Amino acid sequence: MSAIQGRVVIISGPSGAGKSTLVQEVLRICPLPLALSISATTRAPRPDEVDGTAYHFLTPEEFERRRKAGHFLEYEEVFGQGLWYGTLEQSITDGLEAGQWVILEIDVAGAMTVIDRIPDAITIFIHPGSMQELENRLRNRKTDSEEAITKRLEVAHHEMANRDKYQHQVINDDVKRAANEVSTILQAAENI
Ligand code: ADP
Ligand code: 5GP
């Protein structure tokens, strides 16, 4: 008899919607065996980000080497400007084989690639409430330059326009309430 396989959970939504904050709360409260996939990126680490925890921070050359070697399940230049992000196959296979539910926090384009390859993935779009609220959160986070915020808001319009492609949409108006909603969605999917 084969071991119990885990599930893939895709969480998307515009930068600044609160995905990382929400996912940390879901990991804390949800009784399922959840694990977060650590993506690779070529963007520079923020002051509080630890390599191997927030992301695997790679040079463009190393990212390209791994891409050519076929290490990525998907990869996207999310904000243009040479900023690459990708899901490493290894980041999910270990978890799935151990029966874990592996969460991918990725953009809409990357999500579509994963859905093609893993059709039974659970897909959840995180909505910031409004574009004004999204802008406020990006500014209050104080991690991005004015130029980067403009680019992120531009990409956000495209992400929001694709939200109906997801099985579930959750409004992150309040982190604890939204985390409970995500946890309930996942538990309801347990027997599907
Ligand atoms: P993302 O991972 O989607 O880019 P973050 O988790 O970094 O977003 O959140 C962006 C900013 O918004 C952070 O400063 C975070 O503390 C704040 N934030 C997250 N969720 C909420 C919420 N429900 N209400 C108000 N601020 C929030
Ligand atoms: P940030 O630079 O704020 O950490 O992430 C910006 C955006 O990149 C996130 O909102 C998320 O949508 C996207 N992202 C993060 N990791 C990945 C990944 O591995 N693949 C893809 N396609 N997008 C990612």
Side-chain angles (χ1 to χ4, degrees):
M1 203 169 78
S2 64
I4 298 169
Q5 275 277 323
R7 303 283 301 268
V8 167
V9 180
I10 300 174
I11 304 260
S12 296
S15 171
K19 299 181 297 299
S20 303
T21 311
L22 186 55
V23 164
Q24 287 308 317
E25 182 64 10
V26 174
L27 289 171
R28 201 177 69 77
I29 64 160
C30 185
L32 293 166
L34 303 179
L36 180 60
S37 157
I38 310 295
S39 293
T41 184
T42 61
R43 88 149 161 73
R46 295 172 183 147
D48 61 337
E49 287 180 329
V50 177
D51 187 27
T53 303
Y55 284 101
H56 299 290
F57 292 100
L58 305 182
T59 61
E61 294 73 24
E62 179 61 9
F63 195 100
E64 181 61 5
R65 189 190 70 74
R66 296 208 194 187
R67 190 186 69 75
K68 282 190 177 145
H71 291 188
F72 288 108
L73 175 66
E74 61 77 34
Y75 52 88
E76 295 290 335
E77 194 181 14
V78 179
F79 305 112
Q81 303 163 325
L83 291 183
W84 289 90
Y85 296 81
T87 305
L88 293 159
E89 293 256 11
Q90 194 65 46
S91 292
I92 67 164
T93 46
D94 292 349
L96 290 180
E97 280 163 17
Q100 288 179 309
W101 292 46
V102 182
I103 300 180
L104 311 185
E105 236 189 274
I106 60 177
D107 81 331
V108 170
M112 296 307 127
T113 305
V114 176
I115 292 167
D116 274 351
R117 298 186 64 179
I118 308 174
D120 74 342
I122 300 159
T123 61
I124 305 175
F125 188 92
I126 306 301
H127 194 300
S130 69
M131 289 305 284
Q132 185 58 56
E133 177 61 21
L134 182 70
E135 186 170 346
N136 294 345
R137 286 183 193 173
L138 281 172
R139 289 195 191 289
N140 292 340
R141 191 169 68 181
K142 296 185 170 35
T143 51
D144 300 287
S145 65
E146 195 54 39
E147 190 191 357
I149 289 175
T150 303
K151 186 69 196 169
R152 281 167 189 256
L153 288 173
E154 195 184 302
V155 172
H157 283 102
H158 167 74
E159 299 252 319
M160 295 291 277
N162 281 285
R163 63 186 188 270
D164 288 344
K165 293 182 175 162
Y166 288 72
Q167 294 158 348
H168 308 275
Q169 293 184 33
V170 172
I171 300 180
N172 178 25
D173 47 358
D174 173 88
V175 178
K176 289 199 186 310
R177 192 209 62 74
N180 265 311
E181 192 177 338
V182 172
S183 176
T184 302
I185 289 169
L186 298 181
Q187 289 175 78
E190 199 174 2
N191 299 313
I192 298 173

